[in-house]
Each structure stands twice: as C-alpha cells, then as structure tokens.
Amino acid sequence: MTQDFERNPYAFRKMHGLGNDFVILDRRMGGFPVTPERARRIADRRRGVGFDQLVVLEGSGRAAARMVILNPDGSESGACGNATRCVARLLMEEAGVRALTVETAAGLLACEALADGRYRVDMGPPRLEWREIPMSRPMATDRLDYAPPGFAGEILGAGAANMGNPHVAFFVRDVEAVPLAAVGPRVEHDPLFPERINVEFCQVLAPDRIRMRVWERGAGITEACGSGACATVVAGARLGLTGRRAEVILDGGSLEIDWTDSGVLMTGPAALSYAGVLDAALAGAE
C-alpha cells in the first residue's frame, strides 16, 4: 500500500475468515466518525460495500491496536474471532512480527502467526454463569432448559456461553435440516436473552468433529463465526457430547478449537480480498 492510501481517511480493506467478511477501517491516525447510521450504509451490499461486521481500528496504550466491531444493523459486538485473526494478520505484516496482542471490548486477545499460514487467537476463558451470558432468569447454562421457538426437531442438548459476546448452542441430529433463517431470529430476540444472542445449531460427527451453522446477532446467517465455534466446543464438552478440542466445520470452512485451562484457542485462516476507498458520500455527513 502507498503512503497516500494509508493516509486517506476513507481507505479500507475487505478481509474474511472462512467467508465471514469484514470491512476494516484504520482510525489510529484519525478519520471520520463511524456512527451506526454510517455503518448501516457501508453494510449495504448493493449501495455500499457489504460486510458481516465492520471493524474500526483505534490506538491502544495496552496492545498493538484496539478494535471496535459493528454489526450490519449498526449495533456493537464485543468480540469476533474471525475478525481478530484478520486484524492480527494486518498488524503483524505492518510491524514485521509474528505475535502481538489486540484490545477488544472483551479484553486483550493474544494472537500468533503459525508456520502453516494460519493464525491463532486466545479468546480467553468462557463466561458461564447465567448473569454473564446474560439471561433474564436463573438457569443452568451447561444443560439449558430452553427449546428454540419454531423448531420442531429433537434437541440433544443445549448450552450457553459468553465468549466476549453471548452464544447459545443447540445440538441436533441433522443440522442441515434446521430452518435456521426462521428459527435464528426468534431465538436471537427471545426475552430470555435481554442483550440478544448468537445462535448455533450443531451436529456431532465425532468427539473431535462438529458441524455447525450460525445465526449471528445483528447480522443473520453467516458462513462462519469464530466466537461461536469456541462457544460450541465449550457447550459440547460441558454436555459430554465432545472433547475439549475439536474441528468445527462451518459453511465457509473449518476452525480448530482447543478449550485449555487458561482459555479457548481458535486457529484458522485470515484472507485479504481487496483494498479500496469509500466514496465520501457513502461515509460522509448523516
């Protein structure tokens, strides 16, 4: 990238992790305010650029950068595993290093580049108390007493975990048969989850292999969700359906998840699609 490009306040990069796609804006040296309305305009896949999440990089006194994450509806997300890998790749290439820390609303996340070209992020320990999800009433989060509205199939087990943002994972016999577009929004907006929630439907293929589909809070169906894959392995292990380390197979590809004693490690790719410049009319005055 040229210095002129880097200094342009409307410059952006389009990146993705397994098809979970992001527009990344660098505001470490200043730039235009990113409001919910501007985020919604940029998110429009016909009139804007389009993304599953908008990532805004800001300066940090504690890490290589701070990332702020906005959904297509303009709401803020506390964490995004796939986006963190993409940001880590950008920052590592910029600094010429193979390990660094990224600051998020969920805390400091340690990232490293692996020899095989993938990136690993320590997403930290899951928060597992019902108040931490959060939920509107007391409930055991390892064996959730809750049936997804509008889903007539058998639930083999359900669990909730907060991985910087809230998740609920339902284990079923045939994940491809789940009407995710119909059930996902009903679970997301259920009064049980006062801050809304990300929804995963999962099928155990083996103790170390899980097929997962996801409805993301504020975004809808996406091809992959890193924090959701982490929450799914946590839920599966707590239910006794899987081990603590598993390959999670998403619509866009696979992530390797390892729930260790200190945190949940997520490993996967980070791809750059292109760089561009937003039109001032798209990102300008409200």
Side-chain angles (χ1 to χ4, degrees):
M1 302 300 166
T2 66
Q3 287 188 344
D4 286 344
F5 175 84
E6 299 294 347
R7 285 196 294 263
N8 191 318
Y10 299 114
F12 71 92
R13 291 175 178 84
K14 185 72 178 288
M15 300 189 74
H16 73 90
L18 300 178
N20 188 195
D21 66 332
F22 315 103
V23 167
I24 300 178
L25 299 172
D26 190 348
R27 294 192 69 251
R28 287 176 294 171
M29 302 298 291
F32 65 93
V34 182
T35 64
E37 174 56 30
R38 286 173 176 146
R40 287 191 287 270
R41 288 208 300 264
I42 298 169
D44 191 313
R45 292 189 183 272
R46 291 178 175 83
R47 296 175 174 85
V49 181
F51 57 75
D52 289 330
Q53 275 82 34
L54 175 66
V55 180
V56 182
L57 298 185
E58 298 181 344
S60 171
R62 304 193 296 158
R66 178 174 182 266
M67 54 187 287
V68 177
I69 307 162
L70 296 174
N71 294 312
D73 66 359
S75 62
E76 187 169 344
S77 178
C80 179
N82 288 324
T84 303
R85 292 199 316 278
C86 291
V87 166
R89 172 184 164 176
L90 284 181
L91 296 175
M92 288 179 193
E93 291 176 351
E94 175 185 271
V97 299
R98 298 190 62 81
L100 49 72
T101 301
V102 175
E103 182 181 355
T104 73
L108 299 177
L109 305 182
C111 311
E112 62 176 316
L114 304 184
D116 63 6
R118 295 182 301 165
Y119 294 82
R120 176 174 293 152
V121 178
D122 185 343
M123 296 291 289
R127 287 178 282 173
L128 302 172
E129 296 297 323
W130 69 272
R131 291 182 181 87
E132 296 175 315
I133 302 303
M135 299 167 69
S136 60
R137 64 179 186 272
M139 189 179 298
T141 63
D142 56 345
R143 283 170 171 76
L144 211 61
D145 183 20
Y146 170 78
F151 180 67
E154 181 184 7
I155 300 295
L156 305 178
N162 190 312
M163 292 300 314
N165 52 11
H167 292 271
V168 58
F170 301 101
F171 289 84
V172 297
R173 296 192 187 279
D174 182 3
V175 73
E176 310 301 339
V178 174
L180 187 58
V183 178
R186 296 184 67 176
V187 178
E188 176 191 354
H189 293 278
D190 193 292
L192 180 62
F193 308 109
E195 295 182 8
R196 299 187 294 164
I197 200 158
N198 298 281
V199 185
E200 287 82 38
F201 279 87
C202 322
Q203 179 180 345
V204 177
L205 305 177
D208 61 351
R209 292 183 74 236
I210 306 169
R211 171 74 172 104
M212 183 191 110
R213 297 173 62 206
V214 59
W215 174 276
E216 290 199 54
R217 177 181 64 167
I221 294 174
T222 61
E223 291 195 17
C225 178
S227 60
C230 294
T232 288
V233 172
V234 169
R238 296 177 81 204
L239 286 161
L241 299 175
T242 71
R244 292 169 62 103
R245 182 172 186 171
E247 175 192 11
V248 179
I249 305 165
L250 305 112
D251 289 348
S254 295
L255 292 173
E256 180 184 301
I257 308 297
D258 187 5
W259 182 17
T260 71
D261 291 338
S262 59
V264 184
L265 304 179
M266 173 202 57
T267 303
L272 174 65
S273 299
Y274 57 87
V277 177
L278 298 172
D279 188 277
L282 179 66
E286 306 285 50

